[in-house]
C-alpha cells in the first residue's frame, strides 16, 4: 500500500488518537494525488501525533476500504473518515459510505465516524474555507478587483450547486464585490462566460477564485477560459493551504 508520508504502520499505531483517513475523489493527473498527500502532511503537522492516511476513490491507490481494513488489522477499533469533497453530492452519499461498509463488514471490528464534506455543512460556510480561498486569491491578485468568479468543478446535483452558490455569496460579501459561480463541467455557465458577463456589466478587473482542492484538467480548463475572457487573475487550488488543514481538523473534532 502507498499512503501519505505521515502514515504509521504496524501494531504500534493502535495507540493514541483515532487515525484519520482522508478520502479524495482521485484523478488521472498525478498532481492531484500529490496535492492530497501534501494536505495529509499538513494536517499531521498541524496536530503532532495524529496519524493521517490519504486514500482515493478512483485512479490512485490505496482506496479507503483498503486503508480502513489495514487499520483494523493493526489493532485500531475506531477511525475518522474525512471526505475531501467540496459538495455533498453522489460521492459523499453513495461511494464513501459503500467503501466504509465494505471495510466494517469484514475482518476485525472497526467503528468509523464519517465527517461532513469540506464545503458548507448545514448551510454554513466555514470561516476556514473562506480564509483559504482568500489566501489563494491574495497570492495572484494582491491588488483590487471589482468582481469575482468562483469556479467549481460542476455537478448535476441542484442541492450541491446551491452550496457552491452560498460560498460565492459569502466570498462576495468578504470582498465587497459581486461574485458569480461558474463550472468546469456538468452545469452552466462556464468560467469564461461568467467572466465575460461581469465585464459586459461594467466590471474591469475580474478575478477568479478556484473552488478546487487539487490541480488537474478542470482547473487548467478554467484558467485558460478565464484568461481568454479577460480575467486579471486565476487563483490556484486550495491544496495544502493551512486553512484547509484547519478545516479538516475542525471536521474531525466535530465528528468526535
Amino acid at each position: 500500500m502507498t499512503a501519505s508520508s505521515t502514515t504509521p504502520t504496524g501494531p504500534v499505531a493502535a495507540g493514541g488518537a483515532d487515525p484519520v483517513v482522508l478520502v479524495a475523489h482521485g484523478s488521472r493527473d498525478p498532481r492531484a494525488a500529490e496535492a492530497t498527500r501534501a494536505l495529509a502532511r499538513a494536517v499531521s503537522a498541524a496536530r503532532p501525533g495524529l496519524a493521517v492516511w490519504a486514500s482515493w476513490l478512483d485512479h490512485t491507490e490505496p482506496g479507503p476500504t483498503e486503508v480502513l481494513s489495514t487499520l483494523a488489522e493493526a489493532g485500531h477499533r475506531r477511525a475518522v473518515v474525512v471526505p475531501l469533497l467540496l459538495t455533498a453530492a453522489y460521492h459523499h452519499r453513495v461511494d464513501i459510505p459503500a467503501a466504509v461498509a465494505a471495510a466494517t463488514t469484514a475482518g476485525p471490528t472497526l467503528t468509523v465516524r464519517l465527517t461532513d464534506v469540506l464545503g458548507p455543512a448545514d448551510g454554513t460556510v466555514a470561516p476556514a474555507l473562506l480564509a483559504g480561498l482568500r489566501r489563494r486569491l491574495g497570492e495572484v491578485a494582491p491588488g483590487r478587483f471589482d468582481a469575482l468568479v468562483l469556479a467549481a468543478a460542476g455537478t448535476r446535483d441542484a442541492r450541491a450547486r446551491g452550496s457552491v452558490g452560498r460560498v460565492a455569496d459569502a466570498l462576495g460579501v468578504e470582498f465587497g464585490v459581486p461574485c458569480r459561480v461558474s463550472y468546469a463541467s456538468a452545469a452552466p455557465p462556464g468560467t469564461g462566460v461568467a467572466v465575460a458577463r461581469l465585464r459586459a456589466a461594467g466590471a474591469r478587473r475580474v478575478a477568479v477564485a478556484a473552488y478546487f482542492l487539487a490541480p488537474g484538467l478542470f482547473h487548467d480548463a478554467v484558467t485558460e477560459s478565464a484568461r481568454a475572457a479577460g480575467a486579471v487573475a486565476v487563483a490556484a487550488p486550495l491544496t495544502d493551504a493551512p486553512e484547509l488543514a484547519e478545516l479538516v481538523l475542525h471536521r474531525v473534532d466535530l465528528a468526535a
Side-chain angles (χ1 to χ4, degrees):
M1 181 192 306
T2 302
S4 79
S5 61
T6 59
T7 300
T9 57
V12 173
D18 297 339
V20 172
V21 180
L22 308 182
V23 185
H25 180 282
S27 169
R28 292 185 178 86
D29 191 317
R31 294 175 296 172
E34 182 48 42
T36 303
R37 296 186 186 102
L39 178 58
R41 292 190 292 269
V43 173
S44 183
R47 186 166 295 179
L50 181 67
V52 183
W53 299 64
S55 69
W56 295 266
L57 291 171
D58 201 6
H59 301 301
T60 305
E61 295 182 347
T65 299
E66 183 181 355
V67 171
L68 291 169
S69 297
T70 298
L71 290 171
E73 291 165 3
H76 289 279
R77 291 297 169 261
R78 296 187 304 272
V80 182
V81 168
V82 182
L84 297 186
L85 303 170
L86 291 170
T87 59
Y90 186 85
H91 295 301
H92 181 251
R93 295 196 314 268
V94 178
D95 290 340
I96 294 179
V100 170
T104 55
T105 55
T109 301
L110 183 70
T111 299
V112 176
R113 287 169 286 147
L114 179 62
T115 78
D116 284 322
V117 298
L118 302 182
D122 299 326
T124 303
V125 181
L129 179 59
L130 285 178
L133 292 168
R134 188 171 62 243
R135 171 189 290 272
R136 291 298 186 234
L137 275 168
E139 291 168 351
V140 296
R144 285 297 303 168
F145 41 83
D146 52 12
L148 275 171
V149 172
L150 180 67
T155 173
R156 293 182 177 87
D157 187 307
R159 183 176 298 181
R161 292 197 303 274
S163 76
V164 178
R166 283 192 287 277
V167 175
D169 291 343
L171 199 62
V173 170
E174 184 94 358
F175 285 98
V177 299
C179 184
R180 303 291 180 258
V181 173
S182 73
Y183 298 103
S185 70
T191 302
V193 171
V195 170
R197 286 175 178 171
L198 285 167
R199 285 172 54 81
R204 290 294 170 261
R205 293 181 58 81
V206 181
V208 177
Y211 200 48
F212 295 92
L213 296 177
L217 294 179
F218 279 169
H219 184 261
D220 289 349
V222 159
T223 300
E224 182 177 353
S225 65
R227 287 176 175 164
V232 297
V234 181
L238 291 162
T239 56
D240 60 344
E243 296 83 1
L244 193 62
E246 175 189 338
L247 179 53
V248 168
L249 289 171
H250 182 61
R251 291 288 188 256
V252 170
D253 292 341
L254 286 178

